[in-house]
Amino acid sequence: MQTEIEIRGLSHHFVSPGGKSVSTIEDISLNVAPGEFVAIVGPSGCGKSTILNIVSGLLAVSEGEISIGGKKVQGVSKELVYMPARDSLFPWRTCKKNVELPLELQGILTPAERGERAEMLLNAVGLNGFSDYFPSSLSHGMRQRVAVARTFSTSPRILLMDEPFSALDAQTKIVVQDLFLKIWEEEKQTVLLITHDVMEAVALADRVVVLSARPGKIKSIHNIDLDRPRSVRKLLFDEPKFQKYLHAIWEDLDVQE
Amino acid sequence: MSKNNTSTKSKKTPKFAFSNSGSSAISLYRLITIVVFLLFWEWVARSGLVNPLFLAPPSKVVDSIGFLNEQGLLVPNILATLKAAFAGFLIGLLVGSLFGFVIGLNPLLNKFCAPFITMMNSTPRIALAPLFVLWFGIGISSRIVLVFSLVVFIVLTNTIAGTENIDKDHLVLAKLNSAKRRDIIFKVALPSVVPWIIAAMRVSFAYALAGAVVGEMFLGQEGLGYLITAGSGVFNVSLIFAALGMTIAIAFIVDRLMGLLEKRILRWRA
């Protein structure tokens, strides 16, 4: 099997203010195939975000190895896009200009083509007519949709997502997740998603990796065998298999009452 | 000074303040307040409760303004004050924001400069007026320097505070997109700092005007400050109030204009 993201024997620790070395993750090994959607769930503080920060090149590897497309990760790579929980839209840019930002920074396409692509993506997330609005006049859900459009703007090979929908209310979340799925199922990027929301992990991913409490180790990996294209809304109500996966993963998470 | 002027905080206040329909009512109440105040002042000044040597009624102040105008003393003196205030203000704004931006974006330089900026900022610049005359003569240049010295530190400290408050998420996003340094400077840092510079601008113009007037009192042969000194020299209180009234009017008009400019430039704020 081909590998897009290869994580081998990854451990990380930081020095606490008291001078002690605190281990956040321990011996994580994981292969993600091209076009595969992998979600990592785990209790809070188990080092989920650390993994993503290391894969993205923002944080240096302290132990272990990471390669993307067969090449060792050294610093930030243009092949991947990182989508954080907060939309981090630039308030002084219109929606359209926000979607164009990654293209602009990376020098992709001509200005006119960037504009077209931004319009197209804003339409895809259901924001036609909002191109020239500033983020301050949008709701949280709409802002996050702009962030989804921005995430896809450079047609990256790999998406790294850190709790991307966690700031949204329950209903808006499902709408935005479905919009995201629709675009992703056409483009099929390799995705590494970090979330504490088991439902989100099962609904979106092909595989769900469960981490233990700190220091985070891989506890189990679940293959999610649900048909695509999926709809989060439908899964929630009409899919018995979906519930089964939820149960199994909840068991593994071992959440204390 | 205007540290609370971050985008999120100031964005929310208007919603809880008065609604649009109330703003015309507010204007009316303001007008009534001013009229009542002036009438009261007029009454106190004329009633004999206060020595007329110390307080002139508004009607006499208006007469004084008319008199100054007839003598051809009004417009040239206003222009003289405006010239010194604006020259010092603009140079201070330019130098303060430029240096603030450069210092703020270089953490080491920022750390190095911080105590010096605090020291210079806490020096009472008005008290330096006599020194400025010594150094720059009694012409307009010493007044411009005085205004500059007041404005530049307000703008400098605000601009530095602005660079320190750039949203970390924005920087991370830029970095993850392999942004070049110049893109980070012009597409992330500069737009983040602009609201801080504008806030500093509005605060510092009042200081600029005060600096120009005080400068003229100490060392001028012209300007509104000169009129104040002249008025107090001959116990002409209405002349003093006339000059003060003109100063307030200028400050008010300029602040309104800068308010419009702010709305235009920061139209992306809710």
Side-chain angles (χ1 to χ4, degrees):
Chain A
M1 192 177 82
Q2 257 189 306
T3 309
E4 180 77 274
I5 307 174
E6 186 181 7
I7 305 174
R8 194 134 312 286
L10 184 68
S11 298
H12 187 78
H13 28 251
F14 67 94
V15 180
S16 74
K20 276 192 297 182
S21 172
V22 180
S23 179
T24 50
I25 48 174
E26 236 174 66
D27 197 25
I28 306 271
S29 292
L30 181 70
N31 286 344
V32 183
E36 190 185 17
F37 196 136
V38 172
I40 300 179
V41 296
S44 65
C46 73
K48 300 186 292 269
S49 298
T50 309
I51 299 179
L52 221 55
N53 284 333
I54 294 174
V55 175
S56 69
L58 281 176
L59 201 62
V61 183
S62 45
E63 215 177 295
E65 236 182 88
I66 298 200
S67 0
I68 286 175
K71 273 182 288 177
K72 232 179 111 175
V73 168
Q74 272 163 332
V76 174
S77 154
K78 282 186 186 176
E79 281 150 20
L80 49 84
V81 166
Y82 187 104
M83 183 175 175
R86 289 180 48 199
D87 56 59
S88 48
L89 297 178
F90 287 14
W92 54 85
R93 282 179 169 244
T94 60
C95 293
K96 190 173 158 191
K97 286 282 169 196
N98 264 293
V99 177
E100 287 180 32
L101 180 73
L103 298 167
E104 219 177 289
L105 293 176
Q106 298 189 28
I108 304 171
L109 302 177
T110 64
E113 289 167 332
R114 284 174 206 156
E116 275 169 40
R117 176 143 181 91
E119 292 279 3
M120 191 269 282
L121 283 162
L122 284 172
N123 281 348
V125 295
L127 285 179
N128 22 333
F130 285 93
S131 303
D132 295 327
Y133 281 58
F134 287 103
S136 58
S137 52
L138 303 183
S139 69
H140 276 304
M142 291 161 97
R143 292 171 61 116
Q144 201 61 12
R145 286 196 228 178
V146 178
V148 168
R150 184 188 58 198
T151 302
F152 285 107
S153 67
T154 52
S155 313
R157 267 187 22 229
I158 300 165
L159 299 182
L160 302 179
M161 307 172 80
D162 190 0
E163 312 255 12
F165 310 117
S166 61
L168 303 177
D169 66 80
Q171 285 108 10
T172 312
K173 196 182 208 171
I174 296 171
V175 174
V176 179
Q177 283 168 338
D178 271 337
L179 276 168
F180 172 81
L181 265 185
K182 220 177 89 194
I183 304 178
W184 177 78
E185 275 162 353
E186 269 172 37
E187 308 220 346
K188 282 282 180 188
Q189 280 90 352
T190 309
V191 183
L192 199 54
L193 167 78
I194 301 291
T195 179
H196 63 259
D197 182 346
V198 179
M199 222 155 67
E200 173 172 285
V202 175
L204 302 181
D206 299 315
R207 269 196 300 159
V208 177
V209 177
V210 181
L211 292 189
S212 66
R214 171 176 291 188
K217 292 179 207 162
I218 293 184
K219 197 167 186 184
S220 58
I221 298 181
H222 299 253
N223 285 309
I224 309 297
D225 190 15
L226 295 169
D227 293 337
R228 294 209 188 259
R230 293 181 193 168
S231 148
V232 179
R233 207 180 309 215
K234 281 201 187 110
L235 285 176
L236 284 180
F237 302 111
D238 323 317
E239 182 59 61
K241 264 207 281 187
F242 181 72
Q243 302 296 335
K244 249 180 46 202
Y245 288 126
L246 280 187
H247 271 289
I249 293 168
W250 266 102
E251 294 278 280
D252 278 354
L253 270 175
D254 192 24
V255 180
Q256 304 294 322
E257 302 260 316
Chain B
M1 207 146 287
S2 37
K3 287 227 164 162
N4 285 330
N5 228 319
T6 59
S7 53
T8 43
K9 272 177 195 159
S10 58
K11 205 160 60 184
K12 284 197 175 146
T13 26
K15 283 181 191 158
F16 299 106
F18 302 94
S19 63
N20 261 345
S21 59
S23 73
S24 61
I26 288 191
S27 304
L28 182 66
Y29 292 142
R30 272 193 202 134
L31 197 66
I32 293 173
T33 309
I34 293 171
V35 170
V36 169
F37 174 74
L38 288 176
L39 285 175
F40 178 71
W41 176 2
E42 184 83 30
W43 174 75
V44 170
R46 284 177 181 278
S47 66
L49 287 172
V50 187
N51 188 337
L53 217 50
F54 302 144
L55 188 70
S59 55
K60 271 194 118 173
V61 175
V62 173
D63 286 347
S64 280
I65 295 174
F67 174 74
L68 282 174
N69 194 23
E70 277 164 30
Q71 299 292 308
L73 290 170
L74 187 65
V75 178
N77 281 312
I78 289 178
L79 286 180
T81 303
L82 278 180
K83 211 161 119 189
F86 265 103
F89 172 73
L90 289 176
I91 302 172
L93 184 66
L94 201 73
V95 172
S97 48
L98 205 69
F99 275 73
F101 198 60
V102 172
I103 292 172
L105 289 186
N106 293 281
L108 279 179
L109 189 61
N110 192 0
K111 213 171 169 184
F112 174 79
C113 291
F116 298 119
I117 292 172
T118 312
M119 277 193 273
M120 288 193 277
N121 199 20
S122 49
T123 310
R125 259 92 12 102
I126 296 273
L128 295 181
L131 265 185
F132 288 152
V133 189
L134 204 60
W135 293 342
F136 303 101
I138 53 163
I140 194 172
S141 43
S142 54
R143 276 172 275 148
I144 294 177
V145 173
L146 178 62
V147 172
F148 167 81
S149 73
L150 288 165
V151 171
V152 73
F153 289 104
I154 299 173
V155 179
L156 184 78
T157 45
N158 251 282
T159 309
I160 292 176
T163 59
E164 287 164 351
N165 277 278
I166 297 173
D167 192 331
K168 298 285 172 294
D169 289 354
H170 292 161
L171 289 174
V172 168
L173 185 78
K175 253 180 227 162
L176 283 167
N177 280 294
S178 321
K180 296 176 212 64
R181 183 156 171 81
R182 55 167 288 160
D183 279 340
I184 291 186
I185 289 173
F186 290 107
K187 291 182 176 169
V188 186
L190 191 59
S192 310
V193 170
V194 165
W196 294 76
I197 295 176
I198 290 178
M201 219 170 101
R202 290 190 74 171
V203 173
S204 63
F205 188 77
Y207 284 84
L209 202 56
V213 170
V214 171
E216 287 154 0
M217 290 174 69
F218 274 108
L219 30 104
Q221 307 292 315
E222 54 175 1
L224 294 168
Y226 172 69
L227 290 182
I228 292 175
T229 322
S232 58
V234 296
F235 283 98
N236 186 346
V237 225
S238 66
L239 184 60
I240 299 177
F241 278 113
L244 281 177
M246 288 297 112
T247 313
I248 293 171
I250 293 171
F252 183 74
I253 293 167
V254 172
D255 188 68
R256 277 294 158 105
L257 290 176
M258 287 201 287
L260 290 177
L261 186 73
E262 179 176 17
K263 250 195 187 144
R264 174 84 193 101
I265 296 177
L266 303 183
R267 66 187 184 286
W268 46 267
R269 280 185 175 178

